[in-house]
Amino acid sequence: PNIGGALTQMMEVIGQDGCHQLVDDGDATLLVRKGKECEGKFAADGSLPDPNSTEHPESKCLLQLIKNSIKVDNTRYTRMVAKLKG
C-alpha cells in the first residue's frame, strides 16, 4: 500500500489549508511537524529534505513526501500547524 499517498490524501481539505484536527497513530502528526520544520529550513537556506540521508524506510518516505510538497507549496504544513487543535 502507498502509505505516503494515503497520509497526504487524508489531510487534504478542499478549499482549506488542510485538516484542523488529527486523530492518528502518530504518522500524520510526525508528517505535519517534520513538514513545518523542513519548510522553515527551506525558507532560511533553500535546502530541501534529503530522503537518502536515512536508511529507515518510513523516514525516507516521509522526507520524500515533504520534499515533493515543498516544491509545490512551501508553506503547506506551516499553515496547517497554525490551525491544528489538539
Side-chain angles (χ1 to χ4, degrees):
N2 182 354
I3 303 298
L7 274 174
T8 302
Q9 190 174 29
M10 83 168 200
M11 292 190 296
E12 289 185 14
V13 179
I14 297 172
Q16 302 291 322
D17 287 330
C19 60
H20 298 174
Q21 186 173 37
L22 291 176
V23 178
D24 74 307
D25 63 356
D27 291 341
T29 301
L30 180 60
L31 175 60
V32 172
R33 292 176 58 105
K34 188 68 173 175
K36 180 181 185 283
E37 176 187 316
C38 291
E39 288 173 351
K41 189 159 173 46
F42 178 78
D45 63 19
S47 65
L48 290 168
D50 180 8
N52 294 319
S53 66
T54 181
E55 293 298 317
H56 192 269
E58 290 176 358
S59 294
K60 280 184 180 292
C61 178
L62 184 79
L63 292 175
Q64 187 64 55
L65 285 172
I66 295 167
K67 181 178 181 178
N68 293 347
S69 175
I70 290 172
K71 289 178 179 180
V72 174
D73 180 352
N74 63 12
T75 62
R76 176 181 188 211
Y77 295 111
T78 301
R79 293 190 319 270
M80 197 180 300
V81 166
K83 294 183 179 185
L84 276 173
K85 308 235 186 304

